[in-house]
Amino acid sequence: MNNISIFLPKDTAFYRRLYSHLSKAFLQAGFSVSGLCRVLDNQEMSDWVKSYRPKFIFEMNRVKNEIPVLHDLKIPHITWIVDFQGRNEHSILGSDITYFFDSGWDDNYSTCGFQDWLPPGTCVDTYRPIDEYLPTIEFSFIGHIPLPWSQAELNRPIIGEGAVDTGMLFGELLEIFNRRMNEISYFGQTHASLLDIIDNIVFQRSGLHVELTLDMRYDFLERVKRVKNRTQIIAFPLSKTRSVAIYGSEHWRAWPEYQGYYRYYIDDPTELNRVHQISRFNLHDGVGFHFRAIDCMASGGLLCWYNENSGDKYNRLGLDPHKRRGLHSFFDNSRHYVEFLWHQFDEAYAHALALDYRHGKQRLETIDLIRQNHTWRHRVEKIVRDFNAL
């Protein structure tokens, strides 16, 4: 029996594309593949296991403790945590193997089992350079932005221990939290430390410890930072040019300052491949080794990464090979991609202009490094090695 089952969170263009890439790589590794782009409840999972008898289950963003029947059936479970979805470390438990998308998560959270960093791979048959694609846009950005806060969201009451109303509203707490984070920065913060900061703010105001709902936890831990990052990164190119194209969800239209730069949502990978190459500079923020980053680099587009973490300790050369956990560990900054901190954009922009990436050998080097080390086949080979070592 060499069947495995893959379950991804939703039936969207992104997850269907990812499912296709993973399935192909597992097939190349000698497995038959079953699965869905949706999650199964306990009974559905029980029926699925009895029908398909997988050797193991690979799932994104759900852990084994959230599907108790897998413990009863003794089916190995591998999870890939790409989004915490407002959960804390005490919720990320039970899987036989836990992979983290962000290298810092593996260092800061303990799952009480085998865990490691797993960056995304890419499909070099899909993302590849095409000579007739010539740059027509100065800067592009591909990604999601949350909607602006609604009045109803800002008016949510903050509840303290014992279900006591603290007298604070979400909007007030949000304003104080944003001021605090501007003072101390997000660098080195974990989900736990951010929650401590929020709790201290509430305690100082009300004398109560806060009990955030799951949606508020997500808002503070993910949504706030994503809005901050996205608004910052778009401000950089707009200081230089109006040749800026934004691709992503329709949420961009809800922000008046970005309506004129928003193009459309891309659900066709061949269109993504084209956009990477018709853009002189492809902006990226957040986790350095990201889906959109590696796909862009495989396409032959120049990646310009805004490292808002101001120096990820994993993202540097010279580490033990088992602890190489960032773009710096596999590619040469300023040669294979361009990185900048918030105060370095002008310098990075000048360097990117002088690099002449499209016509230089750096572009070919980048593509070759990806083909040799960073395809979905390479990621699946790691998964299989780790599973066999259990």
Side-chain angles (χ1 to χ4, degrees), residues 18-292:
L18 177 58
Y19 183 91
S20 175
H21 294 326
L22 286 169
S23 296
K24 181 180 177 181
F26 274 112
L27 287 169
Q28 291 172 338
F31 291 84
S32 60
V33 178
S34 58
L36 295 168
C37 287
R38 74 173 181 89
V39 295
L40 304 184
D41 63 28
N42 223 38
Q43 184 58 55
E44 289 175 317
M45 185 64 80
S46 178
D47 295 340
W48 183 279
V49 168
K50 290 171 184 175
S51 295
Y52 290 94
R53 300 187 179 277
K55 191 169 187 177
F56 63 82
I57 287 171
F58 180 90
E59 193 162 17
M60 182 189 285
N61 290 342
R62 225 171 38 150
V63 296
K64 196 170 185 176
N65 281 4
E66 295 174 285
I67 328 155
V69 71
L70 292 182
H71 289 290
D72 299 334
L73 296 173
K74 298 184 174 13
I75 298 297
H77 184 267
I78 300 173
T79 189
W80 190 21
I81 302 298
V82 177
D83 189 336
F84 266 79
Q85 300 173 322
R87 296 171 296 178
N88 59 31
E89 62 181 296
H90 305 298
S91 304
I92 310 300
L93 298 171
S95 295
D96 300 87
I97 295 177
T98 301
Y99 292 120
F100 290 103
F101 178 72
D102 187 318
S103 57
W105 295 344
D106 180 38
D107 187 57
N108 291 310
Y109 302 115
S110 175
T111 65
C112 303
F114 180 88
Q115 63 183 66
D116 203 355
W117 174 57
L118 185 73
T122 191
C123 174
V124 294
D125 294 328
T126 302
Y127 301 104
R128 58 189 178 85
I130 297 176
D131 290 339
E132 55 263 37
Y133 291 156
L134 300 175
T136 58
I137 302 168
E138 188 79 352
F139 289 94
S140 73
F141 177 77
I142 300 172
H144 168 75
I145 190 170
L147 289 168
W149 301 105
S150 70
Q151 196 58 50
E153 288 173 324
L154 295 174
N155 288 340
R156 287 175 291 177
I158 300 299
I159 304 301
E161 56 191 345
V164 178
D165 191 335
T166 64
M168 295 183 72
L169 297 180
F170 178 85
E172 181 187 2
L173 178 56
L174 175 66
E175 183 179 350
I176 300 170
F177 176 73
N178 280 333
R179 286 203 306 266
R180 187 70 53 82
M181 296 316 299
N182 286 335
E183 294 168 358
I184 64 176
S185 93
Y186 279 89
F187 179 59
Q189 301 292 345
T190 66
H191 287 171
S193 67
L194 292 174
L195 290 172
D196 284 342
I197 291 169
I198 294 166
D199 188 69
N200 287 335
I201 293 171
V202 175
F203 188 79
Q204 289 170 6
R205 288 298 183 97
S206 68
L208 295 168
H209 293 289
V210 69
E211 293 186 1
L212 293 176
T213 60
L214 187 61
D215 61 332
M216 286 192 190
R217 287 174 61 92
Y218 180 82
D219 287 344
F220 278 113
L221 298 181
E222 305 292 346
R223 186 173 169 185
V224 170
K225 189 167 185 286
R226 183 165 291 171
V227 169
K228 178 183 174 69
N229 291 350
R230 299 295 153 84
T231 55
Q232 283 181 337
I233 197 170
I234 298 301
F236 292 126
L238 290 179
S239 69
K240 300 294 182 184
T241 179
R242 290 298 176 262
S243 180
V244 176
I246 300 173
Y247 303 89
S249 71
E250 291 276 341
H251 288 183
W252 286 100
R253 295 190 187 279
W255 295 82
E257 57 268 55
Y258 306 128
Q259 288 176 355
Y261 303 102
Y262 176 71
R263 298 294 180 87
Y264 46 84
Y265 177 78
I266 304 174
D267 60 6
D268 181 354
T270 60
E271 175 67 357
L272 280 173
N273 189 54
R274 186 185 76 88
V275 167
H276 293 149
Q277 295 173 70
I278 65 169
S279 307
R280 193 171 187 185
F281 309 116
N282 293 269
L283 292 167
H284 167 59
D285 72 319
V287 175
F289 213 127
H290 195 282
F291 298 96
R292 60 177 172 263

Side-chain angles (χ1 to χ4, degrees), residues 315-362:
N315 204 24
R316 64 178 188 265
L317 295 169
L319 292 174
D320 180 289
H322 298 293
K323 289 294 184 182
R324 289 179 176 173
R325 295 186 165 187
L327 287 176
H328 281 134
S329 300
F330 304 98
F331 303 96
D332 185 0
N333 173 28
S334 79
R335 184 174 181 82
H336 302 134
Y337 69 100
V338 174
E339 176 185 345
F340 62 98
L341 306 181
W342 68 270
H343 60 288
Q344 296 175 329
F345 178 72
D346 288 350
E347 177 185 340
Y349 179 56
H351 177 75
L353 285 171
L355 192 59
D356 192 19
Y357 186 76
R358 182 175 180 83
H359 301 105
K361 61 181 180 180
Q362 304 96 323

